[in-house]
C-alpha cells in the first residue's frame, strides 16, 4: 500500500505543477496534457522509475480514461450528429477508414514493421475529442465556427474508432458480436429512457434527486458516476472495451439533459480534470518505452505523417467541398484539419487491446502511443499558428507587397489591424452573449455593469478603428473574415 500511495503522490504532484508550468511558458503553446505525458515518461518504469504502475494505479488510470470519454460523449449534441455537418463528418470518417485500410494493407512499410493489422487502421482514423475540449476552451475556440467544425468532425473521429474497435477487434464471430452489441445498445436505451420518462412526468423521485443535487447527498453526481461505472462494467462483462461504455454514458447524459447543467458539469470536470484524468495522462506517458521509441524513429515519423495524410487531408477536402454550408477561409480549414489529427486516448486503448491479444508487440505499441502523444503537442500548435495568421491574409499581403514594394510597412500594419479587429469582435460577441444570458437570469449587478461598460468601450474602439480604415461603423456591423483592403 505504501508504494501505491507514493506513486499516487508523485502523480498528483505532477498534476498540480503542470498548469503552473504551462502558464509560465511564453505564449502558452504547450498544453498541460503534453507536460503530464512527458512527466509520466520521465518518471515511469522506463525513466527514473519513481512511479510504479501497480494494480491500484491501473484502476485509477482506467477510471481516468472513463471520465475523459464520459466528458467527450457529454460534449456531443445529438442534433449536431443528425445535422448537415455531422453527416458530412460521418462520410469523411468513412473515407478516412477506407484510406487507412488501403495504406496499411498495401504499403510495404507497414508490412515490414509488422503493423498491417486492423488496430493500426483504427489508430490512423482517430481524433482525440476528449483531449481537445480543454485545449479549445483554453484557446477560446469553443462556440466559434472553427470550434464547431472541430467538434463536428472530431465527434466521428472519436465515435467511429470506438465502434470499429467493438466490431473489428472482437474475438467473436460476426453474429455473436452483433448480438452482444445489440444487448449493450438495449441496456443503454433503457438507461436513457427511464430518467427521461421520469423527467417528463415530474415523478417524485426525480424531484427528490434534483432538489438534493447540490446538498451533501449530491444525488445527480452520484447517479452520473453510477451510470458511468455501470456501463463500463457492462462493457467488461460483455468483453467490450471500457471506452465504449464510458462514451455511451456521456452520450446518454447529454440525451437526458440536452440543455446541459452547469452545476453538474462543474462537478464532473472537478473530479475528472482535477483528479482522475491527469492520472490517466501521466500513466499513459509512463507506458512509453523511450528506448523502444528511439530504436524505431522511422516508424514514429511515418505514423505521424500518415495521420496527417489520412485524417487531416480528407477533413480539409470535405470542408473545401462544403464551403456553402461552412464558409471557412483556407487557413481556417487547415486549422480544423490539424486539430482533428490530434490523437492519443484511442491509440492507447487500441494498442493495449492489440498487445493483449498478441497482434502487436509492446515496443511497437509504445512507438504508436509516443506518436499520439506528439500529435497532442504538435497539431494544436500548428493549428494555433494557422489560426493566428489566417485573418492576416498573408497571400493577399504578399501580392500587395509585390505590387507596391515601397508600401510594405503600411500593408503589413493594415493586415495586422484587420486581424486585431476580428479578434476583438469575436471577444466582444462572446462578452455580449454572456451579459445577455446574465440579464435574463438575474439582472445586472455592480460587477456585471462594469463588464457592460467594457463591452461598450470595446464597441467604441472598434468603431474608431473602422473609421481609420475608411469604413462606416453604422453600415459595417461586422467585418467579414474575407475582408480585403481596397488597393490605393
Amino acid at each position: 500500500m505504501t508504494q501505491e500511495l507514493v506513486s499516487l503522490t508523485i502523480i498528483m504532484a505532477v498534476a498540480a505543477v503542470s498548469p503552473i508550468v504551462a502558464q509560465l511558458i511564453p505564449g502558452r503553446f504547450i498544453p498541460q496534457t503534453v507536460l503530464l505525458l512527458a512527466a509520466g515518461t520521465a518518471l515511469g518504469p522506463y525513466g527514473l522509475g519513481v512511479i510504479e504502475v501497480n494494480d491500484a494505479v491501473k484502476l485509477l488510470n482506467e477510471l481516468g480514461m472513463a471520465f475523459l470519454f464520459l466528458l467527450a460523449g457529454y460534449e456531443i449534441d445529438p442534433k449536431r450528429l443528425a445535422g448537415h455537418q455531422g453527416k458530412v463528418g460521418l462520410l469523411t470518417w468513412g473515407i478516412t477508414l477506407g484510406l487507412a485500410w488501403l495504406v496499411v494493407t498495401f504499403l510495404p512499410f507497414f508490412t515490414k514493421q509488422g503493423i498491417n493489422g486492423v488496430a493500426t487502421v483504427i489508430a490512423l482514423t482517430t481524433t482525440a475529442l476528449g483531449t481537445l475540449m480543454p485545449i479549445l476552451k483554453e484557446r477560446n475556440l469553443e462556440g466559434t465556427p472553427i470550434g464547431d467544425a472541430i467538434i463536428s468532425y472530431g465527434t466521428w473521429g472519436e465515435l467511429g474508432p470506438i465502434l470499429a474497435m467493438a466490431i473489428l477487434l472482437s474475438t467473436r464471430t460476426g453474429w455473436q458480436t452483433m448480438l452482444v452489441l445489440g444487448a449493450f445498445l438495449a441496456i443503454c436505451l433503457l438507461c436513457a429512457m427511464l430518467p427521461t420518462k421520469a423527467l417528463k412526468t415530474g415523478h417524485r423521485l426525480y424531484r427528490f434527486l434534483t432538489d438534493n443535487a447540490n446538498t451533501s447527498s449530491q444525488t445527480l453526481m452520484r447517479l452520473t458516476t453510477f451510470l458511468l461505472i455501470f456501463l463500463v462494467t457492462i462493457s467488461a462483462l460483455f468483453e467490450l472495451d471500457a471506452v465504449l461504455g464510458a462514451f455511451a454514458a456521456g452520450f446518454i447524459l447529454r440525451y437526458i439533459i440536452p440543455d446541459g447543467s452547469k452545476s453538474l458539469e462543474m462537478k464532473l470536470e472537478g473530479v475528472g480534470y482535477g483528479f482522475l484524468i491527469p492520472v490517466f495522462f501521466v500513466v499513459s506517458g509512463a507506458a512509453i518505452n523511450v528506448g523502444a521509441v528511439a530504436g524505431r524513429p522511422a516508424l514514429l515519423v511515418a505514423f505521424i505523417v500518415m495521420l496527417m495524410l489520412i485524417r487531416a487531408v480528407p477533413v480539409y477536402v470535405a470542408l473545401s467541398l462544403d464551403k456553402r454550408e461552412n464558409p471557412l477561409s483556407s487557413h481556417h480549414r487547415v486549422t480544423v484539419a490539424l486539430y482533428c489529427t490530434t490523437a492519443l486516448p484511442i491509440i492507447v486503448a487500441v494498442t493495449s487491446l492489440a498487445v493483449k491479444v498478441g497482434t502487436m508487440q509492446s515496443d511497437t505499441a509504445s512507438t504508436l502511443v509516443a506518436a499520439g502523444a506528439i500529435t497532442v503537442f504538435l497539431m494544436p500548435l500548428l493549428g494555433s499558428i494557422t489560426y493566428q495568421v489566417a485573418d492576416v491574409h498573408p497571400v493577399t499581403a504578399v501580392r500587395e507587397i509585390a505590387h507596391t514594394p515601397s508600401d510594405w510597412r503600411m500593408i503589413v500594419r493594415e493586415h495586422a489591424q484587420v486581424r486585431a479587429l476580428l479578434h476583438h469582435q469575436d471577444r466582444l460577441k462572446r462578452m455580449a452573449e454572456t451579459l445577455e444570458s446574465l440579464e435574463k437570469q438575474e439582472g445586472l449587478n455592480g460587477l456585471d455593469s462594469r463588464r457592460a461598460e467594457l463591452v461598450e468601450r470595446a464597441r467604441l474602439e472598434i468603431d474608431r478603428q473602422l473609421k481609420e480604415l475608411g469604413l462606416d461603423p453604422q453600415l459595417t456591423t461586422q467585418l467579414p473574415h474575407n475582408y480585403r483592403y481596397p488597393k490605393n
Side-chain angles (χ1 to χ4, degrees), residues 76 197 384 444 468:
I76 296 174
K197 189 174 181 180
S384 178
L444 289 173
E468 285 185 2

Side-chain angles (χ1 to χ4, degrees), residues 144-157:
T144 65
I146 293 172
D148 290 342
I150 292 170
I151 293 173
S152 293
Y153 284 87
T155 293
W156 286 109

Side-chain angles (χ1 to χ4, degrees), residues 428 431 448-459:
L428 176 62
M431 288 172 72
D448 297 327
S449 297
R450 286 195 293 273
R451 291 183 65 189
E453 185 181 349
L454 287 174
V455 172
E456 185 58 31
R457 287 182 183 178
R459 286 197 181 104

Side-chain angles (χ1 to χ4, degrees), residues 62 65 69 93 97 118-126 156-172 177-178 180-181 235 238-245 247 344-357:
E62 289 292 322
M65 183 168 68
F69 282 97
W93 183 80
L97 183 66
V118 176
T120 308
V121 172
I122 295 173
L124 285 168
T125 65
T126 180
W156 286 109
E158 190 113 70
L159 181 58
I162 290 172
L163 295 174
M165 284 173 61
I167 297 170
L168 301 178
L169 293 180
S170 175
T171 56
R172 303 181 182 91
T177 299
M178 300 311 296
V180 168
L181 287 175
S235 299
F238 285 178
E239 296 182 1
L240 299 169
D241 197 270
V243 167
L244 180 62
F247 200 83
L344 180 66
I346 293 290
I347 294 179
V348 173
V350 75
T351 54
S352 298
L353 188 59
V355 170
K356 190 182 296 183
V357 299

Side-chain angles (χ1 to χ4, degrees), residues 61-241:
N61 173 57
E62 289 292 322
L63 289 174
M65 183 168 68
F67 256 86
L68 182 67
F69 282 97
L70 168 77
L71 292 170
Y74 179 75
E75 291 290 346
I76 296 174
D77 183 356
K79 294 178 182 177
R80 180 175 285 161
L81 285 180
H84 173 80
Q85 202 166 47
K87 293 175 182 176
V88 174
L90 173 59
L91 177 62
T92 303
W93 183 80
I95 293 170
T96 299
L97 183 66
L99 287 174
W101 180 79
L102 288 172
V103 168
V104 171
T105 303
F106 296 106
L107 200 65
F109 175 82
F110 287 96
T111 305
K112 290 178 182 177
Q113 297 291 332
I115 54 168
N116 57 337
V118 176
T120 308
V121 172
I122 295 173
L124 285 168
T125 65
T126 180
T127 296
L129 184 62
T131 306
L132 279 176
M133 288 312 301
I135 296 175
L136 296 180
K137 291 176 182 177
E138 287 174 13
R139 297 181 177 177
N140 296 319
L141 289 175
E142 193 179 28
T144 65
I146 293 172
D148 290 342
I150 292 170
I151 293 173
S152 293
Y153 284 87
T155 293
W156 286 109
E158 190 113 70
L159 181 58
I162 290 172
L163 295 174
M165 284 173 61
I167 297 170
L168 301 178
L169 293 180
S170 175
T171 56
R172 303 181 182 91
T173 59
W175 70 269
Q176 289 175 328
T177 299
M178 300 311 296
L179 186 64
V180 168
L181 287 175
F184 180 78
L185 177 61
I187 293 172
C188 290
L189 290 174
L190 187 64
C191 291
M193 289 171 62
L194 288 177
T196 306
K197 189 174 181 180
L199 171 62
K200 288 180 179 178
T201 58
H203 195 276
R204 282 184 300 174
L205 176 60
Y206 176 78
R207 291 199 300 271
F208 170 79
L209 295 174
T210 52
D211 290 343
N212 290 274
N214 295 315
T215 66
S216 59
S217 299
Q218 293 293 321
T219 48
L220 290 182
M221 183 63 186
R222 292 185 189 186
L223 275 175
T224 301
T225 307
F226 165 71
L227 174 67
L228 172 64
I229 302 298
F230 173 70
L231 290 179
V232 168
T233 303
I234 293 296
S235 299
L237 292 173
F238 285 178
E239 296 182 1
L240 299 169
D241 197 270

